[in-house]
Amino acid sequence: MNLPKATRTVRLSNPEGLHLRAATVIAEVARRYRSKVALHKGSQRAEATEVLQIATLGAAQGEEVVLEASGDDAEAVLDTLVDLFHGGFGHEEDEK
Amino acid sequence: MQKLQGIAVSPGVAIGEALVMDNEGFRIPRRFVTRDAVDDELERLEAAVEAAGAEIAHNREAVARELGEKYGAIFEAHLQMLQDSRLRSELHEMIRERHYSPEYAVSRTLRRYAQVFQRLESSYLAERVYDIFDIEKRLLRHLLGRRREGLSHLSSPVLILAHNLTPSETANLDRKFVRGFATEMGGPGSHTAIVAEALEIPAVVGIGPFLAEVSGGDTVIIDGDEGVVVLQPDEETLARYRHEVEEKTTLAARLETLRDLPAVTADGVPVELFGNIEFPYEVEHCLDRGATGIGLYRTEFLYLGSATEPTEDVHYQAYSGVVRAMGDKPVIIRTFDLGADKVPHLRPPEDERNPFLGLRSIRLALRNLPMFRTQLRAILRASVLGKVRVMFPLISTLLELRQAKMVLADVMEDLDEKGVPFDRNLQIGMMVEVPAAVMMIDHFVKEVDFLSIGTNDLVQYTLAVDRSNRDVVSLYNSADPAVLKLLTWAIAAAEGAGKPINLCGQMSGNPIYTMLLLGLGLRRMSVTPSAIPEIKRVCRSVSIDQCRAAAERAMGMENARDIKSFLREEVMRNVPELGL
């Protein structure tokens, strides 16, 4: 079985970095696709469906994150995620 | 086995099961579970995760409904973190492979995550650590159920090991089952020390970080005589301490027979033995030991326990209970004696770099007259119920004493106008605890009805030693000849003026000093209730002549160490049964 794979590199543009709500949005999106998605920051790896893991990456503004997907919709899920990264994860947030 | 050295603040030895409290007053449970219990414990974890999840989901909906979807999002994040698959497998592994209890596994794992966040450079992300703590607390609450309530629901005897104990934690303490305290923080005079003394249980404070080394349920030893805490004691150490506990019990039983005998010296000179108390329930401890009065009723607990200023009625309830219980025996109530930093409802001091020399005690009371007057009104109202006396602490100048007396006279006038009854002849006294007060003692004795020497502060101010500072505490010594000279002057001046003088510091509760103090002419001592029988034993075993001779020799010596060892020998020779 040879699943399609896809990789993208994004640089975090929003000032808060990969914050909690962003992690939640990423996890929600990742769960809607069949592909398995992971985020890498340096040697650290996080499952894209797991909020705690994503948040623990501690990716800050200006840092690079590598997205990897494997599955029949690998390209599609990464396209959506990259859009999210570029859009700063929706509106600026003011939680709490 | 691990021996830890701290500061001994309440005497005695306790051996028993540890109850470990974390920084937030949560009880940290046993660290390990048995092999057979692993499946049940895993189930308990799952139930707690599920319950915590349901609670978060409920919060999310409630908040989203009230404030909008955006605000509910944080709870969604919490929910997803809680359900993180790696977190779950880590917890399972700890319970299954290492036999950790679910509580311990949760605490450990989430604190590790918290550390990761704390190390992040982005301050925004580092703030997320509070979300992790929130999840930890939520899970622990579900795991522990009612057991989380720390010190108020105990079912068996325990020794409390904690970072620090706050007034609110000790306020609801289940007194029946607490057998000792050991804390990482704190010094003599700390809240833990006062509560331990009141409960008459051993306590060691200022140990430094050690809670990571011990687990709830472990057997520990708290040696409040030497300031030592023993973790994982070996058999030999346990046996030695058990023997010590037994001997103390035997001695206490023998001393109990002294209860109804008067404190008179072998040659028939009567000595008044009063008790020091902080909490109203300690009156029982005093009466049980045959105290002939309360020589020092500290009122600080009234200010520490709650976030708001105590009302006149709160004061009155406390005082009237004590005064009624003591009947016709005197009760000396000391007015407010705290620094602003300790009182929740006062503005924190801005420029207090040196609290012991700062705005505290009577100085603070005179700057907060409404608060001071409230206390004085309650004392005056209670004065009709028995033999009440009022005492002002930390008096350093005559002006200060006169100011305090004026406020009291003013409150009396108020009560008179309102037709509230009080004792018009209420005796007024002062604490002698600042060297300046001793220098001016000839003047002071004319303006008060009685005096009481507070050696704890007097020693500290005379020798310029902060006794809660570990680096200099060895310089703190009640037997220092400079201190003894001050005592001699104060006692002689009071005697000359015909005013009773009392000694209510820790020095009077230590039998080593009893002969010296009697020899210097002191005839009234106020001690922690548990020390009354020992001190009475010494009084009854010696004559005033012997005491005078001992005092004279001690006063001729040059340093505290010689004086102390001489006095110890003297008392050993005369009262060998104390085993000092």
Side-chain angles (χ1 to χ4, degrees):
Chain A
M1 193 170 74
N2 220 344
L3 287 173
K5 284 193 185 354
T7 307
R8 303 270 201 290
T9 302
V10 283
R11 190 176 291 277
L12 279 161
S13 56
N14 58 317
E16 304 95 338
L18 207 45
H19 53 71
L20 214 48
R21 208 181 57 80
T24 319
V25 175
I26 292 170
E28 259 167 39
V29 170
R31 279 193 212 112
R32 279 193 228 133
Y33 291 81
R34 289 178 299 277
S35 294
K36 210 167 155 47
V37 187
L39 285 73
H40 297 264
K41 190 194 103 179
S43 58
Q44 283 178 271
R45 178 182 190 276
E47 296 285 338
T49 50
E50 305 291 349
V51 173
L52 188 59
Q53 293 178 32
I54 301 172
T56 317
L57 287 179
Q61 186 179 25
E63 287 191 302
E64 267 187 6
V65 174
V66 178
L67 308 175
E68 266 182 9
S70 67
D72 53 11
D73 51 8
E75 292 290 341
V77 63
L78 291 199
D79 284 345
T80 315
L81 287 176
V82 167
D83 280 349
L84 276 173
F85 272 87
H86 288 154
F89 306 98
H91 51 82
E92 281 305 298
E93 93 159 27
D94 54 342
E95 59 185 44
K96 282 193 176 167
Chain B
M1 188 168 84
Q2 200 176 348
K3 257 179 125 170
L4 309 161
Q5 183 68 50
I7 305 168
V9 291
S10 184
V13 169
I15 306 169
E17 190 179 307
L19 185 157
V20 187
M21 305 275 295
D22 79 358
N23 289 355
E24 279 139 26
F26 270 104
R27 208 171 146 170
I28 303 174
R30 279 167 196 277
R31 187 178 294 179
F32 296 106
V33 297
T34 59
R35 191 180 300 268
D36 323 338
V38 163
D39 284 336
D40 289 345
E41 296 295 327
L42 283 170
E43 232 169 76
R44 213 155 63 75
L45 174 74
E46 286 311 311
V49 171
E50 199 174 308
E55 198 177 76
I56 297 172
H58 179 81
N59 285 351
R60 178 191 58 197
E61 275 152 38
V63 170
R65 205 165 45 237
E66 289 285 318
L67 302 168
E69 202 53 57
K70 205 169 82 181
Y71 292 90
I74 188 67
F75 289 106
E76 178 60 30
H78 280 196
L79 189 58
Q80 295 205 16
M81 284 201 272
L82 180 69
Q83 287 160 350
D84 190 287
S85 64
R86 191 185 293 168
L87 170 67
R88 195 74 65 87
S89 64
E90 281 165 342
L91 291 174
H92 278 239
E93 199 225 279
M94 281 188 164
I95 298 169
R96 194 178 289 288
E97 308 298 329
R98 295 196 231 175
H99 298 161
Y100 283 163
S101 70
E103 290 89 346
Y104 188 70
V106 162
S107 195
R108 233 186 113 127
T109 310
L110 284 170
R111 291 210 170 198
R112 214 186 49 232
Y113 275 106
Q115 277 171 3
V116 173
F117 281 103
Q118 270 165 335
R119 277 199 296 269
L120 294 178
E121 273 166 35
S122 149
S123 66
Y124 181 84
L125 288 172
E127 282 281 302
R128 297 305 99 201
V129 71
Y130 297 109
D131 293 300
I132 300 285
F133 284 145
D134 197 80
I135 294 171
E136 179 199 356
K137 272 196 231 173
R138 209 183 276 281
L139 270 177
L140 283 180
R141 205 163 56 225
H142 284 286
L143 280 170
L144 292 165
R146 284 194 56 165
R147 286 178 296 157
R148 83 195 160 87
E149 289 179 54
L151 302 179
S152 53
H153 291 93
L154 302 173
S155 52
S156 60
V158 286
L159 309 186
I160 312 270
L161 312 186
H163 178 64
N164 203 4
L165 289 168
T166 65
S168 61
E169 276 159 3
T170 51
N172 301 315
L173 194 73
D174 192 336
R175 299 204 296 267
K176 208 164 58 188
F177 291 120
V178 178
R179 296 285 190 270
F181 293 128
T183 60
E184 295 185 334
M185 301 288 288
S190 65
H191 186 74
T192 308
I194 289 164
V195 172
E197 196 160 77
L199 293 173
E200 307 190 335
I201 56 177
V204 178
V205 302
I207 299 165
F210 76 97
L211 292 179
E213 316 287 323
V214 61
S215 162
D218 287 359
T219 296
V220 292
I221 300 170
I222 298 177
D223 178 347
D225 299 320
E226 302 297 328
V228 168
V229 172
V230 188
L231 308 179
Q232 297 104 38
D234 57 30
E235 275 310 314
E236 191 196 324
T237 310
L238 264 178
R240 189 158 49 80
Y241 273 109
R242 284 205 180 106
H243 181 69
E244 199 171 309
V245 170
E246 262 168 48
E247 282 201 334
K248 273 181 206 275
T249 318
T250 325
L251 175 64
R254 266 213 312 277
L255 291 175
E256 203 165 312
T257 59
L258 292 173
R259 184 192 145 158
D260 297 317
L261 297 174
V264 285
T265 58
D267 51 346
V269 176
V271 180
E272 271 187 286
L273 266 187
F274 288 174
N276 293 343
I277 67 168
E278 169 111 20
F279 304 99
Y281 62 80
E282 291 178 88
V283 166
E284 292 307 315
H285 299 170
C286 292
L287 293 171
D288 283 349
R289 269 75 176 232
T292 48
I294 304 291
L296 173 64
Y297 179 5
R298 305 185 188 95
T299 55
E300 284 67 68
F301 81 101
L302 293 165
Y303 297 91
L304 293 172
S306 79
T308 53
E309 193 196 319
T311 61
E312 183 182 325
D313 229 49
V314 167
H315 282 284
Y316 180 76
Q317 289 307 326
Y319 305 156
S320 58
V322 170
V323 173
R324 280 204 189 94
M326 291 305 289
D328 61 349
K329 299 186 177 78
V331 176
I332 299 175
I333 303 177
R334 180 179 69 187
T335 61
F336 179 88
D337 189 26
L338 284 168
D341 55 324
K342 300 273 171 54
V343 189
H345 62 266
L346 287 180
R347 202 151 40 90
E350 275 162 26
D351 200 19
E352 197 75 291
R353 269 162 291 187
N354 214 335
F356 283 114
L357 304 180
L359 185 59
R360 55 178 288 226
S361 193
I362 192 71
R363 302 170 183 174
L364 191 56
L366 291 172
R367 299 263 190 104
N368 287 274
L369 286 181
M371 180 185 87
F372 192 32
R373 292 169 63 98
T374 300
Q375 179 173 36
L376 293 175
R377 259 199 311 275
I379 294 174
L380 284 166
R381 277 174 58 202
S383 69
V384 292
L385 304 170
K387 250 193 208 167
V388 174
R389 278 145 205 196
V390 66
M391 178 162 73
F392 301 122
L394 202 76
I395 298 288
S396 13
T397 64
L398 282 161
L399 199 67
E400 229 166 23
L401 173 66
R402 287 175 192 156
Q403 270 182 315
K405 284 172 74 175
M406 252 164 55
V407 177
L408 181 67
D410 199 44
V411 174
M412 284 181 168
E413 213 170 288
D414 270 7
L415 290 180
D416 241 350
E417 273 170 29
K418 296 201 179 84
V420 179
F422 62 91
D423 174 9
R424 247 160 246 289
N425 300 315
L426 179 80
Q427 289 196 10
I428 302 168
M430 64 177 272
M431 295 283 294
V432 180
E433 51 190 342
V434 181
V438 182
M439 307 293 176
M440 296 294 286
I441 198 78
D442 291 339
H443 297 267
F444 280 114
V445 290
K446 291 180 201 148
E447 307 204 9
V448 291
D449 298 308
F450 65 93
L451 304 103
S452 192
I453 305 172
T455 42
N456 298 0
D457 274 344
L458 186 62
V459 174
Q460 162 160 290
Y461 290 133
T462 305
L463 303 176
V465 172
D466 174 356
R467 66 190 176 124
S468 55
N469 179 339
R470 270 205 274 183
D471 295 325
V472 294
V473 71
S474 59
L475 302 173
Y476 178 97
N477 206 322
S478 307
D480 193 280
V483 174
L484 300 189
K485 281 211 168 102
L486 293 178
L487 296 184
T488 313
W489 294 340
I491 294 167
E495 200 177 7
K499 301 283 167 73
I501 186 161
N502 180 18
L503 198 150
C504 65
Q506 274 161 0
M507 191 179 185
S508 59
N510 187 340
I512 289 179
Y513 298 118
T514 311
M515 289 184 71
L516 168 79
L517 295 173
L518 290 172
L520 293 179
L522 197 74
R523 295 292 176 265
R524 183 188 281 187
M525 297 178 212
S526 191
V527 306
T528 186
S530 62
I532 292 175
E534 269 186 328
I535 302 300
K536 194 190 268 188
R537 176 79 271 165
V538 178
C539 290
R540 292 178 60 87
S541 310
V542 298
S543 72
I544 293 296
D545 278 348
Q546 281 176 312
C547 294
R548 284 208 184 108
E552 208 168 301
R553 276 213 41 204
M555 295 304 289
M557 295 179 178
E558 282 175 352
N559 67 66
R561 212 187 44 202
D562 292 350
I563 295 176
K564 209 168 169 182
S565 61
F566 164 70
L567 291 173
R568 188 190 297 270
E569 276 165 32
E570 277 297 289
V571 71
M572 279 244 289
R573 205 156 51 78
N574 289 289
V575 204
E577 65 177 281
L578 291 182
L580 290 172

